[in-house]
Amino acid sequence: MKKVIVAVSITPIGTGSASVSEFIAESLKVLDKYPDIKYEIDPMFTILYGDKEKIFKAIIKMQEAMFKKGAMRVSTVIKIDERRDKEQSPLDKIESLKKHFKK
């Protein structure tokens, strides 16, 4: 089983407020049901690492969580890094970059 790194941004629209953190927090709770998926959050994206099919299923459920919370519309951006020559974690990618980028 090859693992993938996925950057996902799920944004609720039509919530009646400029703040969306409650909706995003609700969608992140979905990931508790997927212990095999590792994730990190940043201000713009959630980075997921794990089995591709499980990640796609989790993203669908994350979207649904926002609808259940009351969003009228949900916009999702997904970026997938799938490597087939070797397995590489998000940390491995950062360490590789650091070797080439020294201040």
Side-chain angles (χ1 to χ4, degrees), residues 7-11 24 43-46 66 74-79:
V8 63
S9 176
I10 306 174
T11 307
I24 294 168
M44 300 292 292
F45 285 89
T46 300
M66 288 197 184
V74 175
S75 173
T76 302
V77 175
I78 302 170
K79 182 175 181 180

Side-chain angles (χ1 to χ4, degrees), residues 16-89:
S17 172
S19 177
V20 296
S21 58
E22 286 183 42
F23 287 84
I24 294 168
E26 196 67 29
S27 74
L28 290 173
K29 290 177 186 176
V30 167
L31 295 174
D32 290 340
K33 297 175 185 169
Y34 295 88
D36 294 345
I37 298 174
K38 305 298 179 218
Y39 71 94
E40 296 175 26
I41 57 172
D42 70 30
M44 300 292 292
F45 285 89
T46 300
I47 308 302
L48 306 170
Y49 176 63
D51 176 73
K52 181 171 49 175
E53 290 185 25
K54 286 182 183 178
I55 286 175
F56 288 158
K57 287 178 184 178
I59 290 171
I60 290 168
K61 292 194 182 285
M62 291 168 77
Q63 285 181 305
E64 285 303 315
M66 288 197 184
F67 283 117
K68 286 179 184 172
K69 181 131 180 87
M72 299 281 88
R73 185 175 180 184
V74 175
S75 173
T76 302
V77 175
I78 302 170
K79 182 175 181 180
I80 304 164
D81 183 354
E82 181 174 8
R83 232 184 132 143
R84 298 214 171 160
D85 60 329
K86 68 177 185 176
E87 197 167 295
Q88 187 177 41
S89 73

